[in-house]
């Protein structure tokens, strides 16, 4: 346990001292504020002035109320929310290869397993914080612009859906971690993350029959944003998602423990 | 006495490429073992196998009589290392980088960071981010990370890279002191024999993945070729006259007569007398010792030396 705590502390220091942490906070905060601005533009079309792009986007929101805003936030957690943890894990693990500091972590009294687990923990907490930031600032934006239709039940129901979607989205990041470690860099995992995002949309639109079995589509099914006619997640959906996540964790641990590290 | 650092017929093959091939090395406590080789000879691969960073294709490595095993973190408690160019976290300062190593090595003494900063003369740079360090100071930071826990075993891969001449002398004296007074066992790789031979107790030369030479530094000095070099105004006649007197010689590409006969080398005055009496007075007569660079090149059978 001492090894894990030490490794976790060190990883935390590395994250807190990095520009990446603050960069991701600003990015997710900006998205939340922009969502609020979009709702404001939908409520008051006159404020977009002559901007056709903003007017067009705002006009897509026919009912600028809390129900629509929560739906937008859920959409965000399923799209940007899946890219966020991917970027964080690519950085936390990939930087050791790009900065060539990996060799400093391989022959220490702290086991490699503890270092890997500490890194996973940091990525999970960081990602969760980003998605909470998105939600929290989103709610604040909605309150500031006085959206209509707030009810306690709506808030609790949508918050539960958001939390579940966020956690299910985040736990899939170890697959990206494994690819980061195997490729020893940033390019391949970034490409894979984008591919997964596109594939998930494709699965929803083109092959709705397999959505319950495609791990990255499961959070979308759970959130309810796919609509009332979309398939419901089954027990097997959660099992597939869990196996995918655990495969990433175990694969990464095995890679660190046994693969030649250059 | 059991060796502190040992490889037992260790090999690492990448497909057909034999990066390291059947290398057996034994390093005793307190020794400074100089591991020489050209770039790509197999030095870093051997070091990585010693540190458990890569697995050998065959053979084993041992540190303190324990088989190197990446899954046994305890075996690294008393090992300090530096592999290739020492990179550090670029956005962290020298002190922060060392603080990270201190924690990962479970060093309770918080002064250890200050001590190693002073030891490596990094005081002026302790608040400088690693990305802003010169190559020489990055190397010092790498050495500081290797030394912070006062290890019993030091495995250093080309630690003099990027250091200025004063820095090289400083590190040399530091390693000599650690080995001589603290009993630290040092395994150090380099491609500069002249530098390594100044402080190593034993030398191993690796070429194309094979250990082609191993000896103490004293033995190596004796293995160097010694020859008598002569120049006269008539080289052909001189060589002929030497031959007539049973002294074999050859004329080098540089136009110098070279004699390798031990008797002639030990008594050059006799040769001088012979040549003067033969009307071929020498304008150059000197005993030439093969330099370390030529010895190294000869050992690895390259241009600049003979097999």
């Amino acid at each position: 346990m001492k090894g894990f705590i030490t490794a976790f502390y060190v990883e935390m220091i590395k994250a807190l001292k990095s520009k990446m942490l603050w960069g991701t906070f600003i990015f997710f905060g900006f998205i939340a504020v922009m969502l609020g601005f979009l709702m404001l533009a939908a409520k008051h079309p006159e404020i977009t002035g002559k901007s056709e792009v903003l007017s067009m986007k705002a006009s897509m929101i026919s009912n600028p109320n809390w129900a629509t805003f929560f739906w937008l936030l859920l959409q965000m957690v399923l799209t940007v929310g899946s890219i966020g943890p991917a970027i964080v894990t690519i950085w936390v693990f990939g930087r050791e290869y790009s900065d060539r500091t990996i060799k400093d972590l391989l022959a220490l009294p702290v086991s490699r397993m503890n270092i890997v687990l500490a890194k996973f923990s940091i990525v999970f907490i960081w990602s969760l914080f980003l998605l909470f930031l998105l939600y929290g600032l989103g709610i604040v934006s909605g309150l500031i612009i006085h959206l209509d239709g707030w009810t306690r039940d709506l808030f609790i129901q949508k918050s539960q859906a958001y939390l579940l979607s966020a956690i299910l989205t985040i736990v899939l990041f170890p697959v990206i971690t494994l690819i980061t470690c195997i490729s020893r860099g940033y390019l391949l995992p970034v490409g894979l993350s984008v591919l997964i995002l596109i594939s998930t949309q494709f699965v929803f639109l083109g092959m709705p029959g397999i959505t319950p079995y495609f791990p990255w589509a499961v959070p979308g099914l759970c959130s309810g944003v796919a609509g009332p006619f979309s398939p419901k997640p089954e027990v097997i959906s959660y099992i597939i998602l869990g196996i995918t996540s655990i495969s990433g964790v175990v694969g990464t641990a095995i890679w660190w423990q046994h693969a030649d590290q250059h | 006495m059991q060796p502190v650092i040992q490889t037992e017929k260790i090999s690492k093959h990448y497909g057909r490429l034999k990066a390291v091939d059947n290398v057996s090395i034994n390093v005793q406590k307190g020794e400074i073992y100089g591991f020489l080789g050209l770039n790509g000879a197999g030095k870093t691969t051997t070091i990585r196998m010693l540190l458990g960073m890569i697995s050998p294709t065959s053979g084993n490595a041992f540190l303190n009589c324990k088989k190197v095993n990446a899954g046994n973190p305890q075996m690294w408690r008393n090992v300090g290392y530096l592999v290739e160019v020492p990179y550090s976290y670029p956005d962290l300062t020298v002190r922060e980088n060392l603080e990270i190593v201190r924690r990962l090595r479970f060093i309770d003494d918080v002064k250890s960071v200050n001590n190693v900063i002073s030891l490596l003369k990094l005081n002026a740079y302790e608040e400088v981010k690693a990305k802003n360090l010169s190559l020489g100071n990055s190397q010092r930071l790498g050495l500081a990370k290797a030394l912070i826990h006062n290890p019993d075993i030091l495995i250093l891969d080309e630690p003099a890279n990027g250091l200025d001449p004063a820095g090289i002398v400083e590190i040399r004296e530091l390693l000599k002191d650690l080995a001589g007074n603290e009993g630290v066992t040092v395994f150090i790789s380099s491609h500069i024999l002249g530098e390594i031979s100044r402080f190593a107790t034993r030398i191993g030369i690796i070429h194309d993945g094979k250990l082609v030479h191993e000896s103490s530094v004293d033995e190596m000095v004796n293995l160097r070729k010694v020859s008598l070099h002569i120049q006269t105004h008539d080289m052909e006649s001189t060589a002929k006259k030497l031959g007539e007197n049973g002294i074999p010689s050859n004329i080098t590409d540089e136009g110098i007569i070279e004699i390798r006969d031990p008797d002639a080398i030990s008594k050059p005055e006799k040769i001088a007398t012979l040549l003067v009496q033969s009307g071929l007075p020498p304008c150059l007569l000197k005993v030439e010792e093969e330099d370390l660079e030529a010895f190294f090149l000869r050992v690895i059978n390259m241009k600049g030396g003979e097999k």
Side-chain angles (χ1 to χ4, degrees), chain A residues 2 15 20 75 77 82 96 105 128-129 134 160:
Chain A
K2 189 183 174 191
M20 188 69 180
Q75 285 286 357
V77 78
S82 73
E96 304 292 355
L105 300 176
L128 206 57
F129 194 86
L134 176 65
Q160 285 171 345

Side-chain angles (χ1 to χ4, degrees), chain A residues 132-243:
Chain A
F132 280 159
L133 182 74
L134 176 65
Y135 195 66
L137 273 182
I139 300 279
V140 170
S141 301
L143 290 172
I144 289 171
I145 61 171
H146 300 293
L147 283 174
D148 300 327
W150 171 277
T151 66
R152 189 170 169 271
D153 287 347
L154 179 71
F155 171 69
I156 291 171
Q157 184 202 343
K158 294 300 178 186
S159 296
Q160 285 171 345
Y162 186 92
L163 183 65
L164 182 65
S165 304
I167 289 173
L168 292 181
T169 304
I170 290 171
V171 295
L172 285 164
F173 78 80
V175 175
I176 304 296
T177 312
L178 177 60
I179 300 302
T180 305
C181 295
I182 291 172
S183 67
R184 297 187 176 103
Y186 297 138
L187 203 57
L188 193 61
V190 167
L192 182 71
S193 307
V194 173
L195 184 68
I196 287 172
L197 189 63
I198 293 168
S199 302
T200 307
Q201 304 303 316
F202 178 74
V203 165
F204 265 112
L205 293 173
M207 294 181 284
I210 69 159
T211 44
Y213 314 108
F214 186 65
W216 285 274
V218 175
L221 295 180
C222 292
S223 68
V225 293
F229 303 110
S230 65
K232 298 291 170 221
E234 303 162 22
V235 174
I236 189 73
S237 309
Y238 296 105
I239 292 173
I240 290 172
L241 188 144
I243 289 172

